């Protein structure tokens, strides 16, 4: 009798699971609405949105809570549309996304040094004089990135919250695309592990919640480009257009050009598709040019992120970190040096290594880094018998390792690949762990400025990981034994 009851219960559960799986889209929409409503209600009296500084009163706070709930609803619906399995796993993913969104919103009130010194002056200038005022300022952002920032911050709520919510949305959508790639490769339950790891990634928290980066949108566009190529029926034109949009927003995305050149060489994409990407980049310049920006300045802004010197590089293990900055005006003992009347602190051409010297050295290093990157690309593209994820990790790391102005947002693309390698390719786990430790350990929390790992040490660890990915340092005992013999 007991066995019959158990069999009947199991049959009922299987039947219910089959019915809910067939109705996963409407049920997923209902669950998305319920979770968004619960999140909004939770943030009314408690939660990360209970105390929003400079929001402008209860009405604006309520508006931002509603906007956040709408973004969450959109993310959960996107999760339902991308899901192809059982409803139970879809519900689990929607719960993980909700928890990750609440974690990302924990830093919503933090005003980082990067935002106050770099982004906020641009936004305030745009408040006074529109997009043209921001275009006239000295910045490392491209003209399309400034146009994007202008569009984001025109809402009725305080601009910092809108910029952060946009960055969180971009990262969450990138996580969903990574899970879709995991589903296509049969990761099973590891796809949920991948989503969980990405939603609690420290680097993502710093980049999206604490230091809103427009590069997060470029990372999303690159992920969309990879997804278009990874579909059952690839869409090379859509992939190329997404790449063009990413390169327009962030000059760091231009380092992916060798990978798309490889796709053209292997007939997976046509040269005309890359030409369409170039035309889209030019089209993205039109709003800035209509606001009064000279065509030459607009074109040069597309590569400005590659050669510019960011004022704030904490959390970015780039080539900048190996050159110590020794401008005496930035040193703790600067107040003592000020008492020496014979010493000119603005030039210091005899005794001190100045900011002017630093910029000269960095310009030379930028040119040398491009040459090194070309060599690393040659090694990575010629390597045979490796997975696409392995090749993408090697080329992405080579780009960020040599790019002097890659910010935390740009490193997010590599973090996503590393988390995918942890759950999908055991052979890449060691370099992936090193890279995640380097990027997360070098991340500077904006409130206390505390740092776990010196940025120069993080840059060195990235170099070790790059050597592993290129087999300069063998990752497998079998490989090492074969080379020794």
């Amino acid at each position: 009798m007991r066995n019959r009851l158990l069999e009947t219960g199991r049959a009922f559960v299987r039947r219910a699971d089959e019915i809910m799986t067939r109705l996963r889209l409407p049920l997923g929409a209902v669950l998305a609405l319920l979770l968004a409503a619960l999140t909004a209600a939770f943030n009314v009296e408690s939660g990360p949105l209970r105390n929003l500084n400079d929001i402008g009163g209860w009405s604006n706070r309520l508006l931002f809570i509603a906007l956040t709930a709408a973004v969450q609803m959109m993310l959960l619906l996107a999760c339902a549309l991308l899901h192809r399995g059982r409803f139970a796993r879809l519900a689990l993913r929607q719960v993980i996304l909700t928890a990750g969104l609440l974690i990302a919103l924990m830093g919503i009130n933090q005003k980082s040094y990067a935002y106050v010194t770099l982004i906020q002056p641009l936004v305030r200038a745009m408040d006074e004089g529109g997009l043209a005022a921001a275009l006239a300022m000295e910045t490392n952002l491209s003209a399309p990135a400034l146009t994007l920032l202008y569009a984001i911050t025109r809402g009725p709520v305080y601009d910092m919250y809108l910029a952060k919510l946009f960055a969180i949305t971009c990262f969450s959508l990138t996580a969903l695309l990574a899970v879709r790639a995991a589903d296509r490769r049969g990761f099973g339950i590891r796809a949920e592990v991948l989503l969980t790891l990405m939603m609690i990634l420290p680097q993502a928290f710093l980049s999206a919640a604490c230091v809103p980066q427009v590069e997060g949108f470029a990372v999303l566009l690159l992920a969309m480009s990879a997804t278009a190529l990874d579909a059952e029926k690839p869409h090379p034109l859509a992939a190329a257009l997404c790449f063009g949009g990413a390169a327009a927003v962030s000059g760091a995305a231009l380092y992916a050009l060798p990978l798309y050149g490889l796709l053209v060489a292997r007939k997976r994409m046509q040269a005309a598709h890359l030409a369409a990407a170039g035309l889209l980049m030019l089209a993205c310049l039109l709003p800035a040019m209509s606001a009064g920006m000279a065509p030459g300045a607009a074109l040069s802004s597309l590569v400005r992120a590659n050669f510019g010197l960011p004022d704030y590089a904490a959390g970015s293990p780039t080539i900048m970190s190996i050159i110590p900055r020794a401008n005496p005006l930035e040193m703790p003992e600067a107040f003592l040096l000020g008492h020496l009347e014979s010493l000119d602190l603005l030039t210091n051409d005899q005794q001190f290594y100045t900011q002017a010297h630093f910029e000269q050295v960095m310009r030379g290093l930028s040119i040398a880094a491009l040459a090194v990157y070309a060599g690393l690309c040659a090694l990575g593209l010629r390597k045979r018998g490796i997975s696409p994820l392995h090749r993408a990790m090697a080329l992405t790391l080579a780009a960020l390792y040599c790019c002097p102005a890659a910010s935390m947002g740009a490193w997010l693309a590599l973090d996503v690949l590393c988390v995918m390698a942890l759950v999908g390719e055991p052979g890449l786990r060691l370099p992936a762990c090193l890279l995640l430790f380097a990027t997360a350990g070098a991340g500077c929390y904006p409130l206390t400025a505390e740092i776990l790992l010196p940025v120069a040490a993080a840059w060195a660890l990235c170099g070790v990981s790059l050597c592993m990915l290129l087999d300069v340092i063998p990752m497998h005992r079998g490989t090492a034994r074969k080379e020794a013999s």
Side-chain angles (χ1 to χ4, degrees):
M1 184 65 179
R2 181 180 179 182
N3 291 337
R4 290 184 61 185
L5 289 175
L6 288 175
E7 289 297 328
T8 302
R10 290 170 182 169
F12 176 77
V13 171
R14 286 195 297 268
R15 182 59 178 167
D17 182 66
E18 291 175 359
I19 295 174
M20 289 189 295
T21 299
R22 285 200 300 267
L23 300 174
R24 64 177 178 272
L25 284 180
L27 289 178
V30 172
L31 183 58
L33 179 61
L34 177 62
L35 290 174
L38 290 176
T39 301
F42 173 66
N43 281 289
V44 171
E45 296 294 339
S46 58
L49 305 183
R50 68 185 181 276
N51 182 24
L52 299 177
N53 301 324
D54 303 323
I55 195 67
W58 166 252
S59 59
N60 280 353
R61 178 171 170 261
L62 185 62
L63 177 62
F64 186 73
I65 291 175
L67 182 61
T68 304
V71 168
Q72 180 189 0
M73 180 77 176
M74 182 268 297
L75 291 173
L76 298 181
L77 288 177
C79 181
L81 290 173
L82 292 175
H83 187 68
R84 294 293 181 270
R86 296 167 52 198
F87 173 74
R89 294 184 63 181
L90 171 60
L92 177 60
R93 291 181 181 181
Q94 289 182 326
V95 171
I96 293 173
L97 271 174
T98 300
L101 179 67
L102 291 173
I103 292 174
L105 289 173
M106 289 174 61
I108 197 72
N109 272 316
Q110 302 297 337
K111 277 189 178 181
S112 66
Y113 179 84
Y115 185 83
V116 172
T117 59
L118 298 179
I119 304 299
Q120 197 170 52
L122 291 172
V123 176
R124 294 295 170 265
M126 289 188 290
D127 292 340
E128 296 292 334
L131 177 61
L135 295 172
M137 299 177 66
E138 292 292 333
T139 174
N140 291 324
L141 295 177
S142 66
L146 287 173
T147 305
L148 176 64
L149 184 63
Y150 178 77
I152 295 171
T153 57
R154 295 307 95 193
V157 185
Y158 184 47
D159 47 76
M160 181 183 72
Y161 297 134
L162 294 174
K164 288 185 177 183
L165 186 60
F166 178 77
I168 292 170
T169 303
C170 290
F171 174 72
S172 301
L173 289 173
T174 304
L176 288 179
L177 293 178
V179 173
R180 181 190 179 280
D183 287 338
R184 280 186 51 80
R185 285 155 180 78
F187 278 19
I189 195 63
R190 288 180 295 169
E192 280 69 44
V193 176
L194 169 66
L195 180 60
T196 304
L197 290 176
M198 289 189 63
M199 297 311 297
I200 63 174
L201 195 64
Q203 185 74 358
F205 175 78
L206 290 172
S207 295
C210 294
V211 187
Q213 302 278 355
V214 293
E215 288 92 339
F217 185 60
V219 174
L220 173 61
L221 290 175
L222 289 175
M224 293 173 62
S225 177
T227 302
L229 291 173
D230 188 52
E232 295 179 359
K233 184 180 179 181
H235 302 281
L237 179 59
L241 292 177
C242 289
F243 167 65
V249 172
S250 174
L254 287 171
Y255 285 92
L257 189 59
L259 185 58
Y260 288 88
L262 178 64
L263 293 174
V264 172
R266 294 185 175 181
K267 308 300 182 182
R268 294 188 61 188
M269 184 178 286
Q270 299 178 9
H273 296 149
L274 288 183
L279 291 176
L280 179 61
M281 291 175 62
L282 296 178
C284 291
L285 298 175
L286 294 179
M289 294 170 61
S290 63
M293 193 174 192
L299 284 172
S300 64
S301 73
L302 295 176
V303 295
R304 191 179 297 162
N306 298 311
F307 298 97
L309 302 177
D311 299 324
Y312 184 75
S316 304
T318 61
I319 196 172
M320 279 190 64
S321 57
I322 64 174
I323 304 297
R325 303 182 71 166
N327 182 0
L329 293 176
E330 301 174 356
M331 297 168 59
E333 58 271 20
F335 71 97
L336 293 177
L337 299 176
H339 295 289
L340 302 177
E341 297 180 357
S342 60
L343 182 63
D344 185 1
L345 290 179
L346 297 179
T347 57
N348 300 299
D349 57 340
Q350 296 183 358
Q351 299 186 34
F352 291 94
Y353 174 68
T354 65
Q355 176 69 13
H357 297 152
F358 175 80
E359 293 182 2
Q360 291 173 2
V361 170
M362 281 307 304
R363 289 191 182 94
L365 276 179
S366 298
I367 299 174
L370 286 176
V372 172
Y373 175 64
L376 293 175
C377 282
L379 288 175
L381 294 175
R382 291 178 58 188
K383 189 172 178 58
R384 305 295 181 184
I386 62 175
S387 66
L389 181 59
H390 189 161
R391 193 182 305 277
M393 282 184 63
L395 292 176
T396 305
L397 177 57
L400 297 175
Y401 193 73
C402 296
C403 180
S407 67
M408 288 196 299
W411 283 90
L412 266 179
L414 184 63
D415 289 336
V416 173
L417 296 176
C418 288
V419 176
M420 291 188 67
L422 286 180
V423 298
E425 292 199 26
L428 298 178
R429 285 176 181 169
L430 180 56
C433 287
L434 289 177
L435 289 172
L436 287 173
F437 176 73
T439 53
C444 178
Y445 188 65
L447 184 63
T448 61
E450 294 175 353
I451 196 168
L452 175 65
L453 185 70
V455 184
W459 191 79
L461 280 180
C462 292
V464 173
S465 302
L466 183 59
C467 291
M468 289 181 176
L469 292 173
L470 296 177
D471 271 350
V472 177
I473 299 177
M475 288 189 290
H476 307 288
R477 294 181 180 179
T479 306
R481 193 179 298 115
K482 181 179 179 181
E483 290 184 357
S485 61

